[in-house]
Amino acid sequence: MAYDTDLADRIRELVAAEHGVDERRMFGGLAFLINGNLSVAAGNKGGLLVRVPPPESDALAGDDRVTPMVLAGRPRRGWLHVAATADDDDWVGQWVARGVAFARTLPAKGGR
């Protein structure tokens, strides 16, 4: 399954005012990087991939809509899959903001 282009457009709108944003195809989806650090992506299995502080991963993955991201059969701390569509406006906005805020705490990559 390809990523949800409507969801990618919604993310693009939400990060439009941010500085240092770059879009890249990653993980079969469309990722939005902040100063070279992945913050959020429209995932290839639907929904969002959101980067969060690793120590907060377990607490944030508390319901059916938020689960650990699994890569190569293993859950990855600091990455969550968030079930969402472009119509879930407040929900998407909250998670995009969370991913952007965390990415802003990381050292810039690529000379940004």
Side-chain angles (χ1 to χ4, degrees):
M1 174 179 172
Y3 65 88
D4 179 339
T5 57
D6 290 334
L7 183 57
D9 288 343
R10 182 65 187 122
I11 297 168
R12 190 177 291 114
E13 290 172 10
L14 290 165
V15 300
E18 296 288 334
H19 298 286
V21 175
D22 188 23
E23 294 180 26
R24 289 197 194 139
R25 293 189 71 118
M26 299 174 82
F27 308 118
L30 185 64
F32 294 82
L33 291 81
I34 304 292
N35 296 328
N37 294 293
L38 197 146
S39 62
V40 64
N44 69 339
K45 294 183 174 130
L48 301 169
L49 299 178
V50 181
R51 192 167 185 189
V52 297
E56 296 178 19
S57 295
D58 293 339
L60 291 170
D63 67 40
D64 292 341
R65 291 182 75 185
V66 183
T67 56
M69 180 179 132
V70 177
L71 188 62
R74 295 181 15 199
R76 302 295 177 178
R77 289 181 53 81
W79 299 88
L80 299 174
H81 178 265
V82 178
T85 66
D87 296 331
D88 296 329
D89 204 41
D90 290 340
W91 180 250
V92 170
Q94 291 172 24
W95 285 100
V96 168
R98 187 182 302 269
V100 167
F102 179 62
R104 288 251 177 253
T105 70
L106 302 171
K109 293 182 179 178
R112 294 185 194 275

